[in-house]
Amino acid sequence: MASSSSSFRYGDSLVVLGISICTALLCEFISWILIYRTSTYKSLRSSIDKASKKLETMKSPSSANDSAAPFLTASGRRSSSRVKKMDRVETSLKESTRDLSLSKFKSGFVVMVVLFVIYGLLNSMFEGRAVAKLPFSPVSIVLKMSHRGLRGDDPTDCSMAFLYFLCSIGIRTNLQKFLGFAPPRGAAGAGFFPMPDTKTS
């Protein structure tokens, strides 16, 4: 009975974890083939890194303090020039970030197909079965996800979909950082719906 319980708690969950790791490696390999090794990606990433560092330097308090006096003596003309330079750098950064996002569409579609196929395979393997035991009873909103499709009323039962979702997020994010494929710092939070520019009225 103990071995059966151990198998229930650890066997299926290790299978899901192993498949999640393999899937993450496969997706990153596909992304490397289609994107990361291309000269376009390397050029855009370099442009984003340079623009981010330049913008940080221009916005730093020390830089602003050093040039405060010239701004006052020049009747605001240098201040206006500085703002225009920052606007140009920000515009360049946004354009490069947008182009980088567009360049990922090709691999993104392929990765989505791979994930869809693997999820379907896992779903057929573990349909209606709990693959792990949660160490606590989750709150209702989490319970709807962790117990989805499972038979029985035990709130600690964990479905394959929930475990696979958690593994995929944690593994792929850290794998990208480890391989150096994480999004450039200046591209963080950027996308097709950027935040409005607070400088404009």
Side-chain angles (χ1 to χ4, degrees):
M1 186 72 177
S3 61
S4 172
S5 174
S6 176
S7 174
F8 166 77
R9 293 181 60 189
Y10 303 114
D12 290 344
S13 57
L14 288 176
V15 171
V16 175
L17 175 62
I19 292 177
S20 298
I21 293 173
C22 293
T23 302
L25 289 169
L26 176 61
C27 289
E28 290 309 304
F29 179 71
I30 292 172
S31 296
W32 180 79
I33 291 291
L34 299 178
I35 294 178
Y36 299 140
R37 70 189 182 108
T38 63
S39 57
T40 301
Y41 173 83
K42 293 176 181 178
S43 175
L44 287 172
R45 188 180 177 100
S46 176
S47 298
I48 290 173
D49 288 337
K50 289 178 181 177
S52 299
K53 291 177 182 177
K54 188 173 182 180
L55 196 59
E56 285 180 6
T57 301
M58 296 174 76
K59 287 183 175 180
S60 65
S62 60
S63 175
N65 291 335
D66 291 342
S67 47
F71 291 163
L72 294 174
T73 58
S75 303
R77 281 180 295 180
R78 291 195 180 183
S79 178
S80 176
S81 175
R82 179 186 177 85
V83 170
K84 288 180 180 179
K85 284 182 179 180
M86 289 178 62
D87 286 342
R88 284 198 296 268
V89 175
E90 285 183 345
T91 300
S92 174
L93 180 59
K94 288 178 182 178
E95 290 176 351
S96 296
T97 300
R98 184 193 63 225
D99 292 342
L100 187 68
S101 298
L102 290 172
S103 72
K104 290 184 176 181
F105 264 167
K106 183 168 58 175
S107 76
F109 178 76
V110 177
V111 167
M112 183 180 65
V113 172
V114 171
L115 293 175
F116 182 78
V117 171
I118 292 177
Y119 178 81
L121 176 63
L122 285 172
N123 198 43
S124 64
M125 289 173 60
F126 300 106
E127 185 176 5
R129 284 167 52 190
V131 298
K133 282 284 188 180
L134 299 176
F136 55 86
S137 297
V139 295
S140 58
I141 188 171
V142 177
L143 181 61
K144 290 179 181 179
M145 296 184 289
S146 65
H147 204 267
R148 184 178 180 182
L150 297 182
R151 296 183 289 268
D153 300 322
D154 188 349
T156 63
D157 284 348
C158 179
S159 67
M160 177 281 302
F162 186 67
L163 181 61
Y164 181 68
F165 173 73
L166 292 179
C167 290
S168 296
I169 290 179
I171 293 171
R172 193 170 181 203
T173 300
N174 287 290
L175 183 62
Q176 286 178 338
K177 291 180 180 179
F178 177 75
L179 297 175
F181 296 156
R185 183 176 49 176
F192 298 107
F193 303 99
M195 295 296 289
D197 192 346
T198 55
K199 297 195 297 296
T200 59
S201 54

